[in-house]
Amino acid sequence: MTDPTPLVRIDGLSKHFGDTVALENLTLDIPQGQFVTFLGPSGCGKSTTLRILGGFERPTTGRVLLDGEDVTNQPPEKRQVNMVFQDYALFPHMTVAQNISFGLELKGMGRDAIRRRSSEIMAFLELEDFGARYPLQLSGGQRQRVALARALAPDPALLLLDEPLGALDAKLRGQVQQELKSIQRRTDKTFFFVTHDQEEALTMSDRIIVMNKGRMEQDGTPEELYFRPASRFVAEFLGETNLLTGRMRGTEGGQIVMDWQGTTLRGKAPRSLPGEGQPVSASVRLEKLDFHAQRPETGNAVQGRVVAKTFLGSRMALQIAVGDQAEAMLKAYVDVDTSERVGSDPVWIGWDPDHMAVLND
Amino acid sequence: MNDRPELFRGNRILLGCIYWAFVLYVFVPLILMVLMGFKDSRFIGFPIRSWTLDWYVGVFANTEVLSTFGYSIAIAVLSTLISVFVGTWIAVLLESRKFTGRPVIFGLTVLPALVPGIISAIAFRIYARWLGIEPGMGAIIWSHAVHNVPFVVLVVMARLSTLPKSQMEAARDLGADPLVAFVRITLPYLVPAILGASIFCLLLSFDDFVRSFFLGGYEPTLPVLIFAMLRSGMSPEINAIATVALIMTAGIGIWAERFTRRMKKDT
């Protein structure tokens, strides 16, 4: 982010529709070559941002700079930005080849150059055999590839993808995720991907921006977001987690000290600290809990009892009741061997303070 | 529950009978008309003792009838071109965005289709005289075009409303300005609707009597000519002309229906 002229600079962008605020003061730099995902529930402002970048909406305030040039008021046809639409928006009266050539023709390319470029891109996306077909004669996955080919053909500086995997079935989606990521690497294009699917975001992105109610919640790598969520919203939106709600005690050696169910726990500090005695919550991922017969020497530890086990194939999910009267529940993922070792006797559950993120609510 | 299928079967038979009664009601007059055109006698009625094609030979040798046919077709084609152009324009305008007064504009557009023919014909006649337009081909084309615009608007708007918004956005995204996007994406999408509306306009114009009668000059259109011939007495020649016109219009209508249906399925 120290790049003097990033490929895309989003500067104080807001969008209001009447009284509804779709986007509130978003500022962001995207360097060339990144796979950036905008993640969030519907109405979080991710699609609005995408449509502003594509030129389909004008922001209420703020600017969009592309390669240092202000494009905020440029119509879509003037921008070096192409989009893969959610419904693909392939032109039904044109063949696959004609669909792909459309953007090239409008760039004013010569006949031979168009043919060369479109067959190059069709070969790249393994569409050579479908050039003469019409979109209606293709399967969902093939249509998705044609939409991608059509958007990549004019060689855009930025490619926008609006939930392009939503219409595919679950099995195909996994495969296309890998494909998309590898296409992005091989073309070295900047991808701006919008989705509400956290799994999609985690598998493909170099960087995820989590949006909520028109605001940016967190901006980071998938690992950062998953293991060091900055807010309760991010922790709950990405994967499953144990949320421990306790009371703030203070800080000690860069760590937060908090009380939870009569036990003192330590965790990583958030950006802003809650005051002493204030309620505070913390997130521990299910796979970060360890099981011990004796109280572990270091780290956080609580005593509990396994009350339910669920077999998930590659691993087991355990439900643990904490405290004498089972005041709190924890969930954990363990391998099958560990789960066999753990009976119904009381057991010590431990985790590294580095794996517990104290959250801003 | 058990007697329901029985009841249903009874209903089906009844519905079938009503349907065939309706078909007979509609087609018997047409069949009689066609048959009389082949009867070797000036007297219209049964029994038919001998058959002839003389009436058809007579019609095709009659230059007045032939030129009237051509005249009617020319009026139909020209008025259709105008209605399709104006109607598509209005449809695109009305469908592209919501603006205040849109319902009023839509209502005014559709109104000509609802005004009784005789009233609109008289109104046109008065208006034409006031503007100094001579009765004749131009006046007829004008009145037909105005009358047919609402049908084009309705058909094209219906089609346009099914065009996903993303289609135009995709075209713009790939570098098309609004005009290019309209010509390359919207128009091809509208072709089935425009073709269907055109055929409908052609048939409406070809068939029109009232407006053609009130706004016509010395040259009659086909329905006006038939009317004039009837006044001098019923002749099997009229049956022959009517049969030719019937086959033409029904043929075009059926072909157009199937053609547009196939096109809509393709896109």
Side-chain angles (χ1 to χ4, degrees):
Chain A
M1 255 175 252
T2 47
D3 192 347
T5 44
L7 179 71
V8 182
R9 169 161 284 170
I10 295 171
D11 184 14
L13 218 53
S14 297
K15 177 74 184 176
H16 301 222
F17 294 101
D19 289 339
T20 345
V21 177
L23 195 62
E24 189 63 44
N25 198 17
L26 180 75
T27 297
L28 193 69
D29 280 357
I30 301 171
Q32 142 71 25
Q34 239 181 17
F35 195 125
V36 183
T37 298
F38 258 50
L39 175 68
S42 63
C44 70
K46 57 187 195 300
S47 299
T48 306
T49 312
L50 180 103
R51 291 180 60 79
I52 290 171
L53 287 178
F56 303 113
E57 303 277 359
R58 295 237 176 123
T60 311
T61 57
R63 296 184 309 156
V64 176
L65 296 150
L66 189 65
D67 242 339
E69 187 197 353
D70 187 342
V71 296
T72 319
N73 293 316
Q74 262 184 16
E77 63 266 25
K78 299 262 186 270
R79 301 186 183 199
Q80 255 214 67
V81 175
N82 286 128
M83 177 146 156
V84 177
F85 288 81
Q86 191 167 11
D87 62 356
Y88 310 145
L90 299 176
F91 305 132
H93 59 287
M94 298 185 194
T95 62
V96 168
Q98 286 167 339
N99 263 284
I100 293 171
S101 309
F102 188 82
L104 305 175
E105 278 172 46
L106 288 163
K107 270 185 116 181
M109 279 170 75
R111 204 177 266 265
D112 290 333
I114 290 175
R115 194 170 305 136
R116 224 174 305 124
R117 175 68 183 153
S118 63
S119 40
E120 180 188 285
I121 201 91
M122 284 202 284
F124 182 66
L125 286 165
E126 291 161 37
L127 287 165
E128 300 103 317
D129 300 338
F130 303 109
R133 297 236 195 130
Y134 285 91
L136 270 173
Q137 298 168 313
L138 302 176
S139 71
Q142 289 162 348
R143 274 180 222 174
Q144 200 262 348
R145 285 222 298 283
V146 176
L148 191 60
R150 187 178 70 176
L152 281 173
D155 199 26
L158 173 68
L159 188 76
L160 307 173
L161 300 109
D162 186 10
E163 309 217 13
L165 310 185
L168 304 178
D169 62 62
K171 200 170 174 183
L172 195 57
R173 209 179 301 166
Q175 187 189 325
V176 175
Q177 282 170 19
Q178 303 301 321
E179 260 179 42
L180 261 184
K181 181 67 202 162
S182 104
I183 288 164
Q184 190 265 333
R185 278 219 192 94
R186 284 186 286 159
T187 54
D188 195 32
K189 290 249 171 270
T190 311
F191 276 35
F192 188 97
F193 189 91
V194 158
T195 185
H196 63 270
D197 186 318
Q198 45 104 5
E199 189 205 314
E200 250 170 53
L202 290 174
T203 44
M204 289 189 289
S205 323
D206 296 322
R207 175 179 174 198
I208 299 176
I209 288 138
V210 180
M211 298 287 291
N212 183 30
K213 294 178 186 155
R215 291 173 184 279
M216 184 161 78
E217 285 275 338
Q218 195 173 358
D219 173 1
T221 64
E223 291 80 7
E224 274 166 11
L225 264 69
Y226 188 79
F227 292 115
R228 271 170 278 146
S231 68
R232 192 186 183 114
F233 179 82
V234 176
E236 288 186 304
F237 200 78
L238 279 118
E240 271 193 287
T241 197
N242 289 298
L243 271 177
L244 317 179
T245 311
R247 208 159 276 281
M248 180 79 182
R249 276 256 300 270
T251 52
E252 204 181 286
Q255 289 181 331
I256 297 270
V257 183
M258 64 183 272
D259 282 330
W260 180 72
Q261 301 296 325
T263 314
T264 303
L265 300 177
R266 282 156 210 279
K268 271 188 325 235
R271 275 173 292 184
S272 62
L273 295 176
E276 205 175 313
Q278 293 293 305
V280 69
S281 53
S283 153
V284 191
R285 293 292 173 188
L286 276 61
E287 60 276 19
K288 292 299 176 192
L289 299 183
D290 303 317
F291 290 80
H292 309 273
Q294 305 295 321
R295 188 191 166 104
E297 302 281 307
T298 58
N300 295 315
V302 291
Q303 204 170 23
R305 191 192 295 272
V306 174
V307 292
K309 298 181 183 182
T310 314
F311 180 56
L312 297 173
S314 58
R315 59 193 177 181
M316 297 286 277
L318 305 185
Q319 297 258 18
I320 306 122
V322 178
D324 295 336
Q325 268 83 50
E327 290 93 345
M329 297 294 277
L330 287 176
K331 284 197 329 188
Y333 286 142
V334 295
D335 56 51
V336 178
D337 295 340
T338 311
S339 88
E340 276 167 4
R341 204 154 42 74
V342 179
S344 55
D345 296 332
V347 66
W348 283 94
I349 302 112
W351 64 92
D352 189 333
D354 272 352
H355 291 146
M356 185 167 85
V358 179
L359 306 172
N360 289 305
D361 270 359
Chain B
M1 282 301 278
N2 276 342
D3 55 4
R4 270 189 72 184
E6 285 304 309
L7 196 71
F8 186 60
R9 189 173 302 157
N11 262 336
R12 277 180 61 132
I13 292 167
L14 183 67
L15 283 175
C17 289
I18 293 173
Y19 173 76
W20 286 110
F22 166 76
V23 169
L24 281 179
Y25 179 77
V26 170
F27 284 98
V28 165
L30 286 176
I31 292 164
L32 286 179
M33 183 203 76
V34 173
L35 284 179
M36 292 309 154
F38 293 101
K39 185 184 174 184
D40 191 6
S41 155
R42 272 212 161 268
F43 173 71
I44 290 178
F46 286 104
I48 300 174
R49 291 189 209 285
S50 63
W51 302 86
T52 180
L53 285 174
D54 284 355
W55 306 115
Y56 284 85
V57 175
V59 165
F60 284 104
N62 187 334
T63 48
E64 196 197 356
V65 172
L66 290 183
S67 77
T68 306
F69 238 105
Y71 184 60
S72 272
I73 289 171
I75 287 173
V77 169
L78 289 172
S79 69
T80 297
L81 287 177
I82 296 171
S83 336
V84 163
F85 183 75
V86 176
T88 305
W89 193 308
I90 295 175
V92 169
L93 188 78
L94 285 177
E95 193 61 39
S96 60
R97 57 181 162 250
K98 312 273 175 259
F99 50 90
T100 44
R102 185 172 173 265
V104 176
I105 292 182
F106 179 72
L108 286 175
T109 308
V110 179
L111 199 63
L114 305 174
V115 174
I118 183 82
I119 291 174
S120 86
I122 293 168
F124 268 123
R125 176 81 198 207
I126 295 167
Y127 193 33
R129 176 171 298 169
W130 187 58
L131 289 176
I133 298 171
E134 289 294 313
M137 193 171 179
I140 298 175
I141 290 173
W142 173 49
S143 71
H144 284 186
V146 171
H147 178 250
N148 292 347
V149 160
F151 300 104
V152 179
V153 173
L154 288 173
V155 173
V156 173
M157 267 181 86
R159 175 78 174 161
L160 208 50
S161 68
T162 63
L163 178 71
K165 213 176 92 189
S166 60
Q167 288 277 309
M168 283 304 267
E169 289 184 346
R172 297 286 302 275
D173 188 60
L174 291 163
D177 62 38
L179 183 68
V180 172
F182 177 77
V183 173
R184 298 276 315 260
I185 306 303
T186 311
L187 266 190
Y189 187 79
L190 293 180
V191 163
I194 289 175
L195 268 181
S198 305
I199 301 294
F200 195 59
C201 288
L202 281 173
L203 297 183
L204 274 178
S205 165
F206 191 74
D207 180 55
D208 178 76
F209 171 77
V210 186
R211 288 173 193 81
S212 307
F213 184 75
F214 275 82
L215 291 161
Y218 296 108
E219 211 179 338
T221 63
L222 193 65
V224 176
L225 178 75
I226 292 174
F227 177 70
M229 287 168 80
L230 274 176
R231 291 216 293 196
S232 57
M234 196 69 200
S235 145
E237 213 171 0
I238 296 173
N239 293 39
I241 297 171
T243 305
V244 172
L246 176 73
I247 290 168
M248 258 181 53
T249 53
I252 292 174
I254 292 169
W255 172 81
E257 215 279 326
R258 296 188 55 174
F259 182 75
T260 49
R261 187 172 293 193
R262 206 170 50 232
M263 279 199 70
K264 276 183 192 169
K265 220 164 56 191
D266 283 348
T267 53

